[in-house]
Amino acid sequence: MLTMTPFSWSNPYAWPRRPVLAENAVATSQPLAAQAGLQMLAAGGTAVDAALATAITLTLVEPVSNGIGSDAYAIVWDGGQLHGLNASGRSPAGWTPELFGGQKAMPTRGWNTVTVPGCVSAWLELHRKFGKLPFEKLFERAIRYAREGFLVSPTIAGQWQKQVPELKAQPGFAEAFMPGGRAPRPGERFRFPEHAEALEQIARSRGEAFYRGALAEKIEAHAKEHGGAMRAADLAAHRPDWVAPLAIDYRGYTLHELPPNGQGIVALAALGILQHFDVASIKVDGADSLHLQIEAMKLAFADARRYVGDLDYMDVRPQQLLGPGYLKSRAALIDMKRAQDFGHGTPLEGGTVYLTAADASGMMVSFIQSNYMGFGSGVVVNGISMQNRGGTFVMTSGHPNRVGPRKRPYQTIIPGFVTKNGQPVMSFGVMGGTMQPQGHAQVMVRIADYGQNPQAASDGPRYRIVQGLEVSVESGFAPAVLEDLARRGHKIVSVPDDYNQFGCAQLIWKLDGGYFAASDPRRDGQAVGF
């Protein structure tokens, strides 16, 4: 039977990758990790088993973005409904505002940027609820690569080298990630036996070693030695939360994002604003289309920066920021002839890895885990590199995201999921700091308004809001388009050459009897299937 799709199968962009069409699929930013997940599917595992093996392997083969000490989020379609998991960690009990007194902003490196790492708890919770294979089996490929070594891929080698100058003095970093006194070069074999030992303890104890056992004790001792506030009690107090995703309808599709402390609400609000314009009638990749998307995204970010933080501390509910009347009032502020630097509104009362996997039974997983800024804090404890998620807290008194004890910070990492009429359509994500909601919205516009297929929607050129009127763009836009944007007041700037600059997408679209899997050409990644 001929499978009908709502998109064109052509790809007009200069660097097209070919999608993988299969009954079982995995897509992520590093080939060895994608194949580790695929092996779990071949062994009879579920899409969750595949996603977890991929995620665990990524902690080793893409250490420039994530590690055992990362945070994680997931959205799972179990074949009948969506489940959201927020496994991000909270700040140590000792993180009072006074601890950071006298500083103008939060530090971004070192021990006192580390909130409780949550990704190990995500692995446990997802496996408990949706896994089929033995938990220990999911670790086999990562442990083997850690002990025997793996060949470092080109993009990752480049990012590794760039981060060394800043992080080499952090405790444990050089010993872990600078064999021979430098970063590995492309094609060199990297071994990390301490990482293997940590994974083995986590696998054997089903995470108890990390949150309440030997690893937790080592983490506390290391923190004390280097002036950190993290304690074993903070690790023991951690809990992941199953949450209902937020959603907004856009051109017949429904985009689902996890609620705060993550920034998925930015993508939802931007699309809710764009809903008030006939985007499809405007030329794709043209100045009008770009201007409209940029202005909608700036409006959404303005509200997020003011209102989003730990859900328990927010002074408005997420639904208030997504109210149809409120978003219509925000849309009315857009001037098609002039770029603006928007402030937040007043609602009515009331350096990351992403992966996706899907199996023949219909289960689909959208999963993301991250250190935040590349290697994160730079701190490494017995093979565990620690994130620096606390760096996103603010110092402003009364702000919902002000630093405080046992509190989740504003998080940039967001998994996305799309349904239509209550049925699954696409599991996807676009890693890359504040690029993530911008990437989610741009992918949705390309698919829903312009009929592009998921691979083309990934390959097409992207914009990225920087700050104020500043916006960065990829080279795929026509010079005349950029000149037009400049006339409207947009300040076209270049940002440092960074692998997160314009994000990295992974997408799996449900077809009749299988899937369309796509991986972003901006990275070393791969979509695989059978």
Side-chain angles (χ1 to χ4, degrees), residues 424-446:
V425 171
M426 181 171 68
S427 172
F428 81 114
V430 184
M431 60 169 116
T434 57
M435 181 65 212
Q436 293 188 46
Q438 302 186 54
H440 283 210
Q442 289 176 63
V443 165
M444 287 298 295
V445 166
R446 289 187 177 281

Side-chain angles (χ1 to χ4, degrees), residues 24 61 68 94 98 135 143 180 187 260 271 289 354 408 490 492:
N24 300 272
V61 299
I68 298 171
E98 291 72 29
F135 188 60
I143 290 170
L271 292 176
S289 181
Y354 174 82
R408 281 174 163 149
H490 297 281
I492 309 298

Side-chain angles (χ1 to χ4, degrees), residues 232-393:
D234 297 314
L235 294 160
H238 173 72
R239 69 181 189 280
D241 297 315
W242 290 101
V243 298
L246 301 172
I248 202 160
D249 293 331
Y250 187 73
R251 319 292 191 211
Y253 295 100
T254 303
L255 174 63
H256 303 264
E257 302 275 358
L258 295 183
N261 57 324
Q263 63 176 345
I265 195 170
V266 175
L268 299 177
L271 292 176
I273 291 168
L274 289 174
Q275 191 80 270
H276 297 281
F277 299 87
D278 186 6
V279 178
S281 69
I282 306 171
K283 181 182 177 182
V284 64
D285 298 330
D288 282 346
S289 181
L290 271 176
H291 173 80
L292 189 55
Q293 292 180 63
I294 290 167
E295 296 299 282
M297 189 59 64
K298 287 193 292 190
L299 283 161
F301 263 121
D303 281 348
R305 292 187 180 110
R306 163 58 184 86
Y307 295 112
V308 172
D310 187 319
L311 195 57
D312 292 341
Y313 294 83
M314 286 175 58
D315 47 14
V316 301
R317 296 294 86 191
Q319 291 79 4
Q320 294 170 251
L321 294 170
L322 298 176
Y326 178 65
L327 292 178
K328 183 177 181 180
S329 72
R330 297 295 272 165
L333 298 176
I334 294 178
D335 183 338
M336 287 301 294
K337 297 181 180 179
R338 179 173 65 93
Q340 300 178 71
D341 185 3
F342 300 102
H344 66 79
T346 306
L348 298 175
E349 291 298 325
T352 301
V353 292
Y354 174 82
L355 60 100
T356 177
D359 65 33
S361 78
M363 182 179 288
M364 300 174 70
V365 185
S366 184
F367 184 94
I368 196 161
Q369 68 186 23
S370 171
N371 279 343
Y372 182 38
M373 297 173 66
F375 280 101
S377 64
V379 174
V380 185
V381 186
N382 291 89
I384 302 166
S385 66
M386 308 296 280
Q387 40 88 323
N388 60 335
R389 283 288 161 189
T392 61
F393 279 124

Side-chain angles (χ1 to χ4, degrees), residues 52 103 351:
L52 295 180
Q103 301 183 41

Side-chain angles (χ1 to χ4, degrees), residues 172-183:
F173 184 87
E175 294 84 348
F177 293 120
M178 296 175 62
R182 60 169 175 80

Side-chain angles (χ1 to χ4, degrees), residues 7-199:
F7 50 72
S8 167
W9 286 81
S10 66
N11 191 334
Y13 299 109
W15 55 6
R17 277 198 178 176
R18 301 299 179 220
V20 170
L21 307 182
E23 294 180 1
N24 300 272
V26 180
T28 195
S29 52
Q30 213 282 348
L32 297 179
Q35 291 158 26
L38 197 66
Q39 288 166 353
M40 297 303 102
L41 289 169
T46 66
V48 162
D49 289 323
L52 295 180
T54 302
I56 293 164
T57 305
L58 280 167
T59 65
L60 177 73
V61 299
E62 193 168 334
V64 299
S65 306
N66 78 127
I68 298 171
S70 285
D71 272 350
Y73 297 82
I75 300 177
V76 179
W77 175 266
D78 68 1
Q81 68 181 84
L82 282 178
H83 305 262
L85 179 66
N86 179 343
S88 66
R90 295 165 177 83
S91 55
W95 275 23
T96 63
E98 291 72 29
L99 179 68
F100 300 95
Q103 301 183 41
K104 293 182 178 179
M106 287 290 293
T108 56
R109 305 293 188 185
W111 254 116
N112 282 328
T113 67
V114 183
T115 53
V116 174
C119 79
V120 171
S121 72
W123 304 343
L124 292 163
E125 277 294 298
L126 288 166
H127 182 265
R128 179 186 64 79
K129 197 172 183 72
F130 301 111
K132 181 187 295 184
L133 298 175
F135 188 60
E136 294 84 350
K137 185 172 181 61
L138 309 181
F139 291 74
E140 289 177 353
R141 184 60 54 172
I143 290 170
R144 175 182 167 186
Y145 285 141
R147 290 209 180 281
E148 299 178 7
F150 69 96
L151 304 183
V152 177
S153 50
T155 300
I156 290 168
Q159 294 310 312
W160 204 318
Q161 173 56 40
K162 287 178 182 179
Q163 296 183 58
V164 160
E166 182 181 359
L167 298 176
K168 62 184 179 182
Q170 291 296 337
F173 184 87
E175 294 84 348
F177 293 120
M178 296 175 62
R182 60 169 175 80
R185 298 189 177 104
E188 287 189 340
R189 184 173 293 273
F190 175 71
R191 296 177 177 86
F192 198 0
E194 295 84 3
H195 191 92
E197 291 165 12
L199 288 178

